[in-house]
Amino acid sequence: MKKVSDLFSRHSRKRILCQSFFLGAIATVGVILNAFSLSLKADAQTPLPIVNNTEIDSYAQAVLAMEPARQNAFEEIKKLIGNGEIPKIVCNDSNSFNGLPKKAQDIAVSYCTRAQKIVADNGLSFDQFNKITLELQNNNMLKRQVYDSLLRLQQTPESR
């Protein structure tokens, strides 16, 4: 009898894994977007600035670096809350922490602090990170560039 894993080629498993990771990364971007206060105003007359390749790579590196911390914080908070629903946590809104137990609040604050540092360590300001995140929502070309950068950064050296 064949195993389920035998039904998929290595290539298709890798593609599924990459697509799953990309979706997780985009979810992380959504969380981080809420983490920083946004002061952007859309002006229909003014096009958004074009993001260069260095910024795209920095953005992708920040997202990849944040993902394990986000997953870890989520799992720790989930353990503390049990079967209860985890409220939406917005790093720049301390009221969003109010529904959490004290220990879970500490975990959320720690994650938010770490996420802010990761963005800065990857050479982006909070404004740059947020602008890219906003642009991703409506710009399929940028979405593809970030996706390609995420894939490239995740490749092992021997597969490059």
Side-chain angles (χ1 to χ4, degrees):
M1 176 180 256
K2 288 189 175 185
K3 294 180 187 176
V4 172
S5 62
D6 293 339
L7 298 175
F8 298 102
S9 69
R10 182 174 182 216
H11 176 70
S12 68
R13 286 188 306 231
K14 187 174 183 179
R15 182 179 172 149
I16 290 169
L17 179 63
C18 288
Q19 288 173 339
S20 297
F21 186 80
F22 180 69
L23 291 175
I26 293 300
T28 299
V29 169
V31 170
I32 298 304
L33 177 61
N34 288 326
F36 308 111
S37 60
L38 235 38
S39 61
L40 299 175
K41 296 194 180 193
D43 183 356
Q45 301 293 329
T46 307
L48 289 172
I50 296 173
V51 180
N52 66 42
N53 290 336
T54 302
E55 291 171 322
I56 290 170
D57 285 343
S58 294
Y59 181 87
Q61 288 170 336
V63 168
L64 287 173
M66 279 185 265
E67 183 60 15
R70 184 197 65 80
Q71 288 179 356
N72 187 43
F74 180 82
E75 288 302 318
E76 287 183 46
I77 292 171
K78 190 174 171 181
K79 285 177 191 173
L80 290 171
I81 292 178
N83 290 335
E85 187 176 325
I86 298 176
K88 183 176 180 180
I89 298 170
V90 181
C91 291
N92 64 341
D93 179 8
S94 59
N95 290 329
S96 71
F97 298 172
N98 290 343
L100 297 171
K102 174 68 173 127
K103 186 165 173 97
Q105 288 178 11
D106 293 342
I107 293 167
V109 169
S110 176
Y111 167 74
C112 291
T113 302
R114 185 155 185 227
Q116 291 173 352
K117 183 177 180 343
I118 288 169
V119 168
D121 287 350
N122 281 283
L124 293 174
S125 70
F126 304 132
D127 285 341
Q128 286 172 303
F129 188 89
N130 288 334
K131 283 179 186 178
I132 294 169
T133 301
L134 284 175
E135 183 67 13
L136 275 172
Q137 294 173 8
N138 300 314
N139 185 330
N140 287 331
M141 179 191 256
L142 179 60
K143 201 177 290 186
R144 183 67 189 174
Q145 289 173 309
V146 170
Y147 178 76
D148 290 344
S149 183
L150 287 166
L151 289 178
R152 189 177 73 264
L153 291 168
Q154 293 176 82
Q155 288 179 339
T156 57
E158 61 271 6
S159 67
R160 284 187 190 171

